[in-house]
Amino acid sequence: LELPKHMLAASVLLFTVLGSYALRNNMFDVYVMIVFGVIGYLLKSFGFSVVPMVLGMILGPMAEKGLNNTIAISYGSNIVLFVLKRPICLVLLLFILGSIAFSLYRWLGQRREAYAGD
């Protein structure tokens, strides 16, 4: 915890380069890591949150696999009706819609308070 930041940054950089190279013994992986590191730095410096992008990159292939499985299980019939017939899916969709509605309600309330204060 008492390590100076420049030494910590250098050691993290060293280990990330070594780890990306050691994965497949390929310099292309190191270049990809550097490019995504620069993109992440630029996004963070412009105020974007990097966490949703990382979650999307991790969970995206899983969601795509789940969609392909759903299409296979439904035998190509109407997927929306197939999903809506399942009670667990309905409950999850209601939670999602409720969460979105609550977020919009709070956001609109904050905007009203901001305009009322002006």
Side-chain angles (χ1 to χ4, degrees):
L1 294 174
E2 308 254 340
L3 196 65
K5 287 188 179 187
H6 65 279
M7 291 180 69
L8 182 64
S11 62
V12 167
L13 182 65
L14 174 73
F15 286 123
T16 54
V17 170
L18 284 175
S20 63
Y21 181 76
L23 191 62
R24 292 190 309 176
N25 293 334
N26 191 353
M27 279 303 292
F28 179 73
D29 294 340
V30 176
Y31 299 141
V32 169
M33 181 209 60
I34 291 170
V35 167
F36 277 104
V38 169
I39 290 171
Y41 175 76
L42 290 174
L43 287 173
K44 189 168 182 169
S45 66
F46 284 117
F48 289 98
S49 178
V50 181
V51 175
M53 297 181 85
V54 171
L55 280 174
M57 291 175 65
I58 292 172
L59 297 178
M62 291 183 219
E64 186 176 357
K65 187 175 181 181
L67 177 64
N68 286 334
N69 288 341
T70 304
I71 291 171
I73 291 171
S74 70
Y75 298 111
S77 65
N78 190 344
I79 298 170
V80 175
L81 292 177
F82 179 78
V83 170
L84 290 179
K85 288 179 184 177
R86 308 290 188 251
I88 294 175
C89 292
L90 283 174
V91 170
L92 290 175
L93 283 173
L94 287 174
F95 280 138
I96 291 169
L97 292 174
S99 173
I100 291 171
F102 182 71
S103 297
L104 285 174
Y105 176 75
R106 287 187 59 188
W107 180 70
L108 288 173
Q110 289 174 353
R111 288 191 62 192
R112 283 189 197 125
E113 288 176 7
Y115 284 130
D118 287 340

